[in-house]
Amino acid sequence: MEQHTLYKKILKRMVLFCGLLMTLTVVFMLYCFDALPKHLFKSKYAPDKIYYMNYDVSILNDAKDPDLLNYGYELFTNTPKYIGPDNGDPKMAYQGNRLACKNCHLNLGTKPYSAPLIGIIQRFPQFRGRENKIGTIEERINGCMERSMNGRMLPENSKEMKGIIAYLHWLSRYAPEDGKIKGTGFLKIKIPDRAVDLTHGKSVFLKHCIVCHGKDGQGLMRPDGSGYEYPPLWGDNSYNHGAGMTRVITAAQFIKGNMPFGTLYDNPILTDEEAYDVAGFINSQDRPKKANPEKDFPDLKKKPVSTPYPPYADHFPMEQHQLGPFQPIMEYYKQKFNITKTK
């Protein structure tokens, strides 16, 4: 009797296993022959196929104007060599720090959810709340020059500006007419309903960030001293307080999808709370100050809630705009101005 019962159990399990195997086989076949929509098996953040087109820089010489394009690529990858404070020509020192464009726009501007630049040419001219007007791609680049690079504007007719734009055109050559593709900007996070915990943020930094950025947050220089392999996160050679990355919410979104280095959008290492707290810790450190930040956002209602400098169109203190909690500020704008803010 016991042996008969054992045989029945084994037979039942074999039937279940065969049924499961057949189901998986059918699903796989339907998937292969496009009978099932493939997005059912992908992350909701899965980017467009355009990110996997040919962006191999070895083909730059095949372009119409390879010299200008190669110069733009060089500026993007070795920015301080050409326009940094140590370039050898004070007139060409447009940067105030020693960052390179590629330090923020990862994989040479082609990584999803790291402010990728594919399609950016087609998305300009574009309205920008910080200036409260329709702006050109040249103005956007100079916004980075003044903030992320802590420097001054490039002349719009300069070889440097034309070279950078040539590289952006090359990156955007596969993009649709409107430049809109999935994977731009940063990953979204669920913003914790509390202020940043700086102690926790420091512990996250020490656990996950110091391998590349160092305990002092000053990054790792290249052996030849021409720039950074891993950029500084604060101090004289980092972005100034007018850069978008000084907003805790923006920084947390970038960190969630890209850090520690090598993180991908579909396999984040940090939780939303860890990204939020470490972003607050990083942005609580000293960094250069941009001149005249009060001129940003002529319409103060368009100012992101985590912008760390005044003035504001609300009564909340600067510290709360810097470290949260942000939900009360968002609710204020919703009730008073019927504006839904997410950052």
Side-chain angles (χ1 to χ4, degrees):
M1 180 64 76
E2 290 181 3
Q3 190 175 19
H4 178 69
T5 302
L6 179 60
Y7 284 151
K8 286 181 67 176
K9 288 183 178 180
I10 293 173
L11 181 61
K12 184 176 180 180
R13 290 178 181 176
M14 289 179 65
V15 170
L16 288 172
F17 175 77
C18 290
L20 177 61
L21 183 62
M22 289 179 64
T23 300
L24 291 173
T25 301
V26 170
V27 170
F28 177 73
M29 293 299 291
L30 289 172
Y31 176 84
C32 289
F33 288 100
D34 291 328
L36 286 177
K38 289 182 170 54
H39 69 74
L40 294 177
F41 303 91
K42 295 180 179 179
S43 162
K44 66 178 181 178
Y45 292 111
D48 291 335
K49 292 180 180 179
I50 195 171
Y51 289 93
Y52 308 104
M53 303 293 279
N54 187 5
Y55 302 104
D56 184 347
V57 296
S58 67
I59 65 172
L60 290 176
N61 288 327
D62 298 334
K64 184 178 179 180
D65 190 347
D67 290 340
L68 185 64
L69 179 54
N70 274 286
Y71 185 52
Y73 165 72
E74 275 291 312
L75 281 166
F76 194 88
T77 54
N78 300 299
T79 318
K81 176 181 177 180
Y82 299 94
I83 59 174
D86 307 317
N87 77 83
D89 182 358
K91 293 180 181 178
M92 290 297 295
Y94 288 96
Q95 276 185 270
N97 59 30
R98 294 166 177 82
L99 297 179
C101 302
K102 71 171 188 176
N103 289 143
C104 294
H105 302 281
L106 305 182
N107 290 3
L108 301 177
T110 67
K111 185 183 180 188
Y113 301 108
S114 69
L117 299 171
I118 298 169
I120 193 168
I121 290 295
Q122 290 88 338
R123 296 196 294 274
F124 276 84
Q126 182 186 91
F127 178 81
R128 301 279 298 171
R130 191 154 56 192
E131 293 79 27
N132 201 38
K133 72 181 186 72
I134 301 292
T136 64
I137 186 64
E138 290 86 355
E139 289 173 315
R140 183 67 188 91
I141 290 169
N142 273 329
C144 282
M145 288 301 305
E146 289 189 304
R147 300 166 191 275
S148 297
M149 298 302 191
N150 188 37
R152 58 192 179 98
M153 293 190 293
L154 290 168
E156 292 194 1
N157 63 348
S158 66
K159 180 183 177 183
E160 288 67 37
M161 177 66 79
K162 291 178 180 178
I164 293 171
I165 291 176
Y167 180 65
L168 298 182
H169 270 285
W170 185 81
L171 287 179
S172 300
R173 67 195 189 281
Y174 301 120
E177 188 175 344
D178 62 3
K180 294 181 179 179
I181 55 176
K182 192 174 181 182
T184 57
F186 307 125
L187 281 186
K188 302 301 180 186
I189 67 165
K190 183 179 180 181
I191 304 168
D193 192 7
R194 59 170 176 79
V196 166
D197 183 336
L198 292 175
T199 300
H200 181 232
K202 182 178 181 179
S203 70
V204 174
F205 180 82
L206 293 174
K207 180 178 180 181
H208 293 284
C209 309
I210 63 173
V211 172
C212 295
H213 299 287
K215 288 184 178 180
D216 59 359
Q218 296 310 293
L220 178 66
M221 289 285 288
R222 293 175 177 175
D224 63 2
S226 63
Y228 284 95
E229 194 67 35
Y230 302 106
L233 301 179
W234 59 81
D236 292 342
N237 279 313
S238 190
Y239 50 89
N240 67 37
H241 86 311
M245 201 58 73
T246 56
R247 303 173 198 151
V248 165
I249 296 172
T250 298
Q253 291 173 337
F254 173 80
I255 290 167
K256 177 69 184 288
N258 297 285
M259 296 293 140
F261 187 74
T263 294
L264 300 175
Y265 72 91
D266 57 352
N267 189 29
I269 305 298
L270 303 182
T271 66
D272 290 350
E273 298 219 350
E274 288 173 327
Y276 178 74
D277 287 337
V278 77
F281 170 74
I282 290 168
N283 282 328
S284 69
Q285 309 303 310
D286 290 335
R287 65 184 61 259
K289 299 293 187 289
K290 182 187 178 296
N292 305 313
E294 69 280 356
K295 293 183 179 180
D296 289 353
F297 300 96
D299 182 352
L300 291 176
K301 297 190 297 295
K302 292 184 171 67
K303 202 168 193 176
V305 297
S306 58
T307 304
Y309 51 86
Y312 306 107
D314 57 67
H315 60 275
F316 295 92
M318 184 173 67
E319 183 179 359
Q320 187 165 348
H321 283 280
Q322 292 172 334
L323 297 173
F326 298 107
Q327 284 80 0
I329 308 177
M330 292 174 172
E331 184 61 28
Y332 173 85
Y333 281 91
K334 181 64 177 175
Q335 291 190 3
K336 187 170 179 62
F337 303 112
N338 196 29
I339 297 174
T340 300
K341 289 184 176 283
T342 59
K343 62 178 183 178

